[in-house]
Amino acid sequence: MNPETVDVAAGIIVRDDGCFLLGRRAPGSFYPGYWEFPGGKVETGESPAEALCRELSEELGLRAERLYPWLVRTHAYEHACVRLHFFEVAQWQGEIRARVHDALDWVMPGSPDAPAPMLPANGPILRALALPRRLGITHAASIGIEPQLAALDHALQSGLRFVLIRESALPMPAQRAFAKEAVRRARAAGALAIVNGEPELANEAGAAGLHLTAARLMASRSRPDFAWVGASCHTRAELERASALRLDYALLGAVKRTATHPNREALSWEGFAALASGLPLPVFALGGLEDGDMETARLSGAHGIAAIRGAWERLC
């Protein structure tokens, strides 16, 4: 018999410097000595957000003031199957004190020095947290190769750390040359560079990963052999396929009408939230967005925002 599924709320408590909080489980609990994100069981009559606010107050003396819904992951332990509802605690008050954990630690996303071992259900979250919140998508075929490279340099200098090189409209020789140069510049700045297209192109360019079109995603039977893999999605079925293949992220749009597809009906933020809710992988909102949309995107459950024109126009 399968164990009953228990709903649990977990908080990614974030400091002003970007570090998040982990707690070590005390002796006498399940998995003593393992590290976890603070939180606890959702009680009858509570929403996951309400449960998290209560648990953080009880466990840490913290008052949560702003929560962003994020990922939902299910994990089967020996004693129970848990469905974890993760939220980013973006604003909070109080002096944090360990009341149920025997140690606390602040960790920078992507740090190789994160404490171990992590509670199994929480481990994959560290990888998702390493993904930046802003993704810039190239369109050199529209604005020109040299202007795009100049805009990329400017954006990297301004802090952009996630780049999708998507240039299927360029002739293949130009695609190869542009991808190699864009990857080189991104890598030099410490940014993650992903290539959209054939695996051979991503490998030849030295990219950190591969991005799948929706059609290639639905035709895939297994995850491509790259460190990072994402996909473009437009439907819930495509998002669930990306989840089943254990991809690292998905793009979902278009949230607003765009210059590229002016006659296509936009999802709206309500539509985005409905499609993206309850998934175990980060979903970026895409379509007519700019930095000012970040707050609405996060409140709608997005990991962050992806932009084509919005990432480069003001820089060109």
Side-chain angles (χ1 to χ4, degrees):
M1 180 181 296
N2 292 329
E4 179 184 357
T5 299
V6 177
D7 283 294
V8 172
I12 314 297
I13 301 164
V14 181
R15 256 185 352 198
D16 290 343
D17 62 359
C19 290
F20 58 84
L21 184 69
L22 293 175
R24 190 173 65 194
R25 295 177 66 85
S29 61
F30 286 107
Y31 286 88
Y34 280 70
W35 292 84
E36 66 178 356
F37 293 96
K41 182 179 177 182
V42 179
E43 302 292 349
T44 302
E46 286 183 320
S47 69
E50 291 169 339
L52 181 60
C53 291
R54 174 183 53 77
E55 289 283 350
L56 295 182
S57 176
E58 294 172 357
E59 291 186 4
L60 299 168
L62 178 155
R63 185 174 73 254
E65 297 185 336
R66 188 166 79 252
L67 302 179
Y68 295 139
W70 192 37
L71 309 185
V72 178
R73 299 188 64 91
T74 300
H75 185 87
Y77 287 102
E78 298 85 351
H79 63 287
C81 180
V82 295
R83 181 166 49 235
L84 291 122
H85 303 259
F86 286 92
F87 295 82
E88 180 183 336
V89 185
Q91 187 173 322
W92 47 275
Q93 295 291 333
E95 183 180 349
I96 292 179
R97 296 180 180 177
R99 296 177 175 176
V100 298
H101 298 97
D102 67 0
L104 299 174
D105 194 13
W106 291 97
V107 181
M108 182 64 70
S111 170
D113 300 322
M118 281 290 292
L119 203 62
N122 290 266
I125 299 301
L126 295 180
R127 183 170 175 82
L129 283 170
L131 278 176
R133 302 289 179 178
R134 290 172 174 81
L135 170 60
I137 304 173
T138 68
H139 64 147
S142 297
I143 65 174
I145 289 175
E146 290 307 320
Q148 178 65 85
L149 289 174
L152 174 62
D153 286 342
H154 192 163
L156 293 169
Q157 292 169 7
S158 300
L160 182 69
R161 289 298 176 264
F162 195 11
V163 180
L164 173 57
I165 300 162
R166 191 169 73 180
E167 297 296 347
S168 59
L170 288 176
M172 185 51 69
Q175 276 193 61
R176 291 194 185 99
F178 177 81
K180 288 180 181 179
E181 183 59 21
V183 167
R184 184 189 69 78
R185 297 184 188 206
R187 183 185 294 164
L192 186 64
I194 309 293
V195 167
N196 177 84
E198 298 296 328
E200 293 78 9
L201 177 61
N203 277 321
E204 185 179 346
L210 179 70
H211 186 87
L212 307 177
T213 64
R216 185 181 289 273
L217 166 69
M218 298 306 283
S220 298
R221 297 186 177 275
S222 61
R223 174 192 165 103
D225 187 20
F226 284 85
W228 294 92
V229 184
S232 295
C233 298
H234 310 91
T235 67
R236 179 70 183 194
E238 290 167 354
L239 288 166
E240 290 176 353
R241 183 66 173 163
S243 300
L245 291 177
R246 300 182 182 275
L247 302 194
D248 298 298
Y249 70 91
L251 307 186
L252 176 61
V255 176
K256 301 179 181 181
R257 292 188 185 275
T258 66
T260 306
H261 302 288
N263 298 318
R264 180 182 294 175
E265 184 176 356
L267 280 178
S268 78
W269 286 115
E270 292 78 10
F272 176 93
L275 287 177
S277 67
L279 293 169
L281 82 169
V283 180
F284 287 84
L286 172 69
L289 306 181
E290 53 189 25
D291 285 354
D293 292 301
M294 182 65 79
E295 176 73 5
T296 304
R298 298 301 312 281
L299 289 171
S300 300
H303 177 81
I305 59 173
I308 305 173
R309 287 171 174 78
W312 321 110
E313 279 189 343
R314 69 184 186 279
L315 302 175
C316 296

